[in-house]
Every structure is written in structure tokens, then in C-alpha cells.
């Protein structure tokens, strides 16, 4: 197969990322078929040491930070994340470089017989697109001699395709309400699903959590004999100063202090950096060689686009993939803190399974000029739905058919001292980034 044929083959299976109303059960997501597939491939998921990262927000950023530091320390490091902005190959990286089209096609050729054998057996249901991609990532990492792999959970944790590894450290970033129709409507239910990645005896790093979430995680760790390291208690961080290019902070870990600069904005990114430092300290305790200088260098160059991503100044054009009420609130506060502006214009499009009312409620205090749009993703919400939600607050929205067109309209209305923010969905942000590339 060439690359296009390989990509189409992978996408020809059930893709729950594009399917609303997922039934999240051990029948729909059965890890036994994943284990059978990996067994036929020689268990590549066990070839490297793993840092496994779950959470509602920040898990991708944290995984990218861990991987960047390990690369700076001289380890060949794999990074597996989702979703992607432009190409599916973004999800699979070694030392920051995404898998090439040639390697992707060769990997699909290699794993296809095993995929079809497992599906013919039909013992535990048919493999999905995400499961095949996850197996492909493991196979690629093993073929490249990866020593450490940082893995972002796709959905939940307990039943996620990545939950076949035997990690050196588990990280659980900030947990809030998201995918409620799949994971549950209560924080405790969502936390229990995220806690499904915790393995017996494996240290767990947790971001600061609300009490009900912290209690769920603590009980899970106690039950599995897993040491729990809490950010805000065992590992501390303090912001220092910032500009539009990044921010500086101090992290006081269990093994020493770190003066850091990260090229990512937002208070939540400082907490993510603290989570990464805490996870790296665990890896050091388990045999990794990572100096303080490597931590500083790795975090200073971490690449994680689409999160408070500045595309232009005068006027400001900022993209952020906030897609639930909690992240929308954090976005509003971050924009007020990091960007001086006179007037704010919002470009927003979101997905069907999101708390649209909650997001609008959090954003309305900052934005009275709103342009609603939609991505090409099949789960995108019609702009009329978003417009109706804003109208409840007396805000009349303009409608634009595509995110790039919405940005052009917003920029035409913005003065040099204004700010245009694009948010609501990583898919919307991705289409804007592609148009500006």
C-alpha cells in the first residue's frame, strides 16, 4: 500500500471519534482483542518503558512535556497522542518527529495480517480505528528502538486501548466533566474511569483535584498498593513572570527545585509542567538518568500547538482547543491575564457531545462579539445551535460556514488593539491552523 491506501485502510474500521452516542462498555471496548492483536505482533507495547497519562484536560500537554525531557536526556522517546490537527501521522512521534508516510504505509502492511486474523477470530468484537492506530504506534516505537514511550489515553482510561501497558508511572491530570454521555455525569464516575489506568505498585502522579475526585483516586491507589504523589501537596509549583512567548515558574519536587521556562501559556500549563516533573522524578527513582539541566532544556522546547497558540499580534489572534465548561473558564481567565486588549471577538465551533451551555456561560462575560461556525468533523454542532445558546444571554452571533472564513470575518472587524480567539473544538482550531500554515 502507499500512504493514502494505508490511511484509508485504518480509517475503514469503526471510528468512535467520529461517532456520537458511544456506548462505553467492556463489550464495545474490549481490551482482550487489543491484547490478541499485540500478541500476534510480538507484544511491541512491552518493548519500552511507559509513562501513561490520563485526565480530562492537560493529558496531551503533560505527555508531550515528559517526552520532550526524555529526548533531551538522550533517550529515544516515543509520544502517542490524539486527536490530530492536520494528519493522522501527528499522533505517532519519535523524538519529536512524526512517523513518515513511507513508514506509516509499511507499518500498515506489516500489521494488516494480524488485524485481519483477530477480526476473523471474532472472539471479542472487531478492532476499531483507534485500536489499530495504537498497535501501529507500539510497533513503530519498537522498530525504532524506543526506550521510553509517553502515552496519552484516548478516552476514559479503564477500557482505553492504551491500557495494555505496564507503566513505570501513571499520571492523572485535571479531571472535570466531559464526555458525560460516555463516562458518566458525576465527577466520581469519571474519576473512576480515569483511575482504571492505575496498576499495582505503580506510582501515580495526580494534578490538584476537587475533593470527590481526590478521594476516588486515593481509594484506587490504596486498593492497588500504588504510591500517590499529589501536585499541590507533595510537589509544589509557583508562577513567576510571563510574556506572549511563554512563562517562567519554579517547581519544588520531591528530589529538588527546578527553575523552568515553558513556551505554553496558562496557569494550567504550569500545573501540567509540575505533573511532568513529578513523573520524571519517579522515572529517575526507577533507573532513568535525567539531570536538572535536561528538565530545563526539555520543557523549554516542548511543542504542543493549539493551546493558547498565538498566531498573530495587532490584533491578537489566539487559538485554544477548550472544549468543556471548565476549560472555557480557564481560557477566559488566561486571555485576561496574558493578553492586553481593548475588545474581544470570539470564533467558536464545537461538537455534539459537549456541554455547550456551560461553555457559553463561561465565555459570555468576555465576548460580546461572537462568530459561530463548524468544523468538517461529522460530530460538529450546527452553528444555529450555538447561536441560540448565545442569544439566551442577549448576544447576537454572526454565522460563518467554515472556521477559516470565520477568522477572516473576525479579523476584518478587529482593530489593532483587539483580540480574536478561536475555540470550542480542537477540530475547529486544526482547520484554522491548517489555513495559516
Amino acid at each position: 500500500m502507499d500512504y493514502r491506501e494505508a490511511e484509508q485502510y485504518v480509517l475503514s474500521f469503526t471510528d468512535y471519534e467520529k461517532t456520537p452516542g458511544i456506548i462505553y462498555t467492556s463489550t464495545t471496548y474490549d481490551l482482550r482483542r487489543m491484547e490478541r492483536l499485540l500478541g500476534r505482533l510480538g507484544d511491541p507495547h512491552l518493548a519500552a518503558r511507559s509513562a501513561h497519562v490520563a485526565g480530562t484536560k492537560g493529558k496531551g500537554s503533560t505527555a508531550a512535556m515528559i517526552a520532550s525531557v526524555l529526548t533531551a536526556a538522550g533517550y529515544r522517546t516515543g509520544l502517542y497522542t490524539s486527536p490530530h490537527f492536520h494528519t493522522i501521522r501527528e499522533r505517532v512521534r519519535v523524538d519529536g518527529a512524526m512517523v513518515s508516510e513511507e513508514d506509516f504505509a509499511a507499518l500498515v502492511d506489516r500489521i494488516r495480517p494480524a488485524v485481519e486474523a483477530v477480526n476473523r477470530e471474532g472472539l471479542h468484537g472487531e478492532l476499531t480505528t483507534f485500536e489499530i492506530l495504537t498497535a501501529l504506534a507500539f510497533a513503530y516505537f519498537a522498530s525504532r528502538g524506543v526506550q521510553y514511550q509517553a502515552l496519552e489515553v484516548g478516552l476514559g482510561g479503564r477500557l482505553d486501548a492504551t491500557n495494555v501497558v505496564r507503566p513505570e508511572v501513571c499520571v492523572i491530570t485535571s479531571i472535570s466533566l466531559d464526555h458525560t454521555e460516555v463516562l458518566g455525569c458525576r465527577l466520581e464516575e469519571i474519576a473512576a474511569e480515569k483511575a482504571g489506568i492505575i496498576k499495582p505498585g505503580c506510582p501515580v502522579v495526580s494534578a490538584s483535584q476537587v475533593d470527590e475526585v481526590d478521594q476516588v483516586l486515593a481509594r484506587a491507589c490504596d486498593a492497588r498498593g500504588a504510591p500517590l504523589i499529589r501536585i499541590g501537596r507533595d510537589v509544589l509549583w509557583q508562577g513567576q513572570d510571563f510574556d506572549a512567548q511563554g512563562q517562567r515558574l519554579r517547581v519544588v519536587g520531591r528530589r529538588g527545585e527546578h527553575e523552568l521556562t515553558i513556551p505554553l501559556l496558562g496557569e494550567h500549563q504550569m500545573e501540567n509542567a509540575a505533573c511532568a516533573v513529578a513523573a520524571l522524578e519517579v522515572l529517575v527513582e526507577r533507573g532513568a538518568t535525567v539531570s536538572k539541566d535536561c528538565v530545563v532544556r526539555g520543557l523549554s522546547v516542548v511543542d504542543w500547538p493549539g493551546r493558547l497558540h498565538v498566531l498573530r499580534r495587532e490584533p491578537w489572534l489566539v487559538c485554544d482547543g477548550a472544549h468543556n465548561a471548565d476549560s472555557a473558564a480557564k481560557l477566559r481567565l488566561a486571555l485576561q491575564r496574558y493578553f492586553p486588549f481593548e475588545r474581544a471577538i470570539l470564533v467558536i465551533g464545537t461538537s455534539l457531545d459537549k456541554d455547550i451551555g456551560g461553555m457559553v456561560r463561561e465565555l459570555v462575560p468576555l465576548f460580546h462579539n461572537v462568530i459561530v461556525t463548524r468544523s468538517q468533523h461529522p460530530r460538529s454542532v450546527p452553528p444555529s445551535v450555538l447561536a441560540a445558546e448565545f442569544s439566551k444571554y442577549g448576544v447576537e452571533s454572526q454565522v460563518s460556514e467554515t472556521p477559516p472564513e470565520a477568522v477572516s470575518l473576525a479579523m476584518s472587524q478587529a482593530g489593532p488593539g483587539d483580540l480574536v480567539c478561536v475555540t470550542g473544538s480542537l477540530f475547529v482550531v486544526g482547520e484554522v491552523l491548517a489555513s495559516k500554515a
Side-chain angles (χ1 to χ4, degrees):
M1 285 185 276
D2 63 21
Y3 171 68
R4 296 303 167 197
E5 292 168 334
E7 182 184 46
Q8 286 306 309
Y9 175 77
V10 172
L11 296 175
S12 69
F13 294 86
T14 300
D15 188 353
Y16 289 126
E17 291 180 14
K18 297 181 179 179
T19 307
I22 308 165
I23 302 173
Y24 189 75
T25 68
S26 55
T27 301
T28 309
Y29 295 88
D30 194 325
L31 289 182
R32 291 177 295 179
R33 64 176 176 253
M34 190 70 188
E35 289 166 346
R36 293 186 74 83
L37 173 59
L38 292 169
R40 286 181 172 273
L41 297 174
D43 290 329
H45 60 303
L46 303 179
R49 295 181 174 185
S50 300
H52 200 192
V53 187
T56 305
K57 294 296 295 180
K59 59 185 186 292
S61 303
T62 303
M65 290 176 182
I66 293 169
S68 186
V69 172
L70 289 168
T71 294
Y75 291 105
R76 180 159 289 185
T77 306
L79 175 63
Y80 180 57
T81 60
S82 59
H84 59 274
F85 285 129
H86 310 308
T87 168
I88 204 167
R89 297 183 295 115
E90 294 169 24
R91 301 177 182 224
V92 183
R93 297 176 181 267
V94 172
D95 293 338
M98 63 183 172
V99 59
S100 69
E101 291 187 355
E102 294 77 15
D103 284 342
F104 187 95
L107 284 160
V108 173
D109 270 332
R110 178 186 159 198
I111 70 173
R112 181 173 183 171
V115 169
E116 295 180 352
V118 170
N119 284 342
R120 276 196 307 271
E121 291 173 352
L123 297 177
H124 310 296
E126 186 173 269
L127 289 157
T128 66
T129 290
F130 186 76
E131 289 165 341
I132 294 167
L133 275 172
T134 304
L136 182 149
F138 287 136
Y140 182 58
F141 295 159
S143 72
R144 291 291 306 276
V146 160
Q147 297 159 287
Y148 282 93
Q149 53 194 10
L151 309 168
E152 178 190 2
V153 166
L155 177 69
R158 178 175 62 96
L159 300 175
D160 190 74
T162 62
N163 201 25
V164 292
V165 294
R166 300 170 189 167
E168 299 287 312
V169 61
C170 295
V171 182
I172 299 181
T173 62
S174 176
I175 292 177
S176 57
L177 293 174
D178 197 20
H179 296 294
T180 52
E181 81 296 344
V182 177
L183 301 178
C185 295
R186 297 167 58 245
L187 282 173
E188 294 92 335
E189 293 176 300
I190 294 174
E193 290 299 327
K194 309 293 185 185
I197 71 168
I198 298 171
K199 305 297 188 296
C202 178
V204 176
V205 173
S206 172
S208 299
Q209 310 284 1
V210 297
D211 285 345
E212 55 264 45
V213 170
D214 183 72
Q215 291 169 15
V216 170
L217 300 182
R219 286 196 298 269
C221 286
D222 286 344
R224 295 161 204 172
L228 177 58
I229 301 161
R230 294 177 170 96
I231 306 302
R233 185 183 306 183
D234 305 304
V235 174
L236 306 176
W237 64 268
Q238 181 180 36
Q240 295 177 324
D241 59 352
F242 60 86
D243 54 33
Q245 281 72 50
Q247 51 191 341
R248 285 158 286 283
L249 69 152
R250 174 185 293 111
V251 175
V252 182
R254 296 177 303 117
R255 300 177 60 87
E257 295 187 15
H258 305 266
E259 299 288 339
L260 305 170
T261 299
I262 55 174
L264 305 173
L265 296 175
E267 187 170 294
H268 57 290
Q269 295 292 11
M270 290 191 281
E271 180 164 70
N272 292 338
C275 285
V277 169
L280 290 158
E281 288 183 331
V282 171
L283 295 180
V284 168
E285 291 167 351
R286 292 185 158 221
T289 301
V290 182
S291 69
K292 284 189 175 183
D293 180 62
C294 291
V295 174
V296 171
R297 285 190 291 111
L299 289 180
S300 72
V301 297
V302 65
D303 180 29
W304 197 239
R307 284 77 174 177
L308 284 176
H309 188 156
V310 179
L311 294 178
R312 179 176 162 173
R313 303 179 180 214
E314 296 184 351
W316 294 108
L317 175 57
V318 180
C319 292
D320 187 84
H323 55 260
N324 69 3
D326 181 67
S327 57
K330 290 176 178 174
L331 170 61
R332 172 170 50 82
L333 294 173
L335 292 174
Q336 292 171 311
R337 179 182 182 190
Y338 294 100
F339 302 97
F341 58 86
E342 297 171 7
R343 187 173 57 113
I345 302 172
L346 178 67
V347 173
I348 185 170
T350 187
S351 299
L352 288 167
D353 57 347
K354 302 304 177 183
D355 177 10
I356 297 171
M359 293 174 65
V360 170
R361 181 184 67 246
E362 295 294 346
L363 294 171
V364 156
L366 186 61
F367 299 97
H368 291 89
N369 294 72
V370 176
I371 300 170
V372 293
T373 187
R374 70 186 303 172
S375 71
Q376 298 178 30
H377 197 279
R379 286 195 291 112
S380 64
V381 165
S384 59
V385 174
L386 280 168
E389 199 63 39
F390 277 101
S391 69
K392 295 177 183 178
Y393 295 87
V395 177
E396 295 305 315
S397 308
Q398 296 174 274
V399 176
S400 193
E401 291 303 314
T402 71
E405 290 175 2
V407 169
S408 294
L409 177 60
M411 296 298 284
S412 72
Q413 298 172 1
D418 294 340
L419 177 143
V420 173
C421 178
V422 182
T423 193
S425 163
L426 284 171
F427 304 111
V428 167
V429 169
E431 290 181 25
V432 171
L433 292 180
S435 72
K436 299 296 179 183

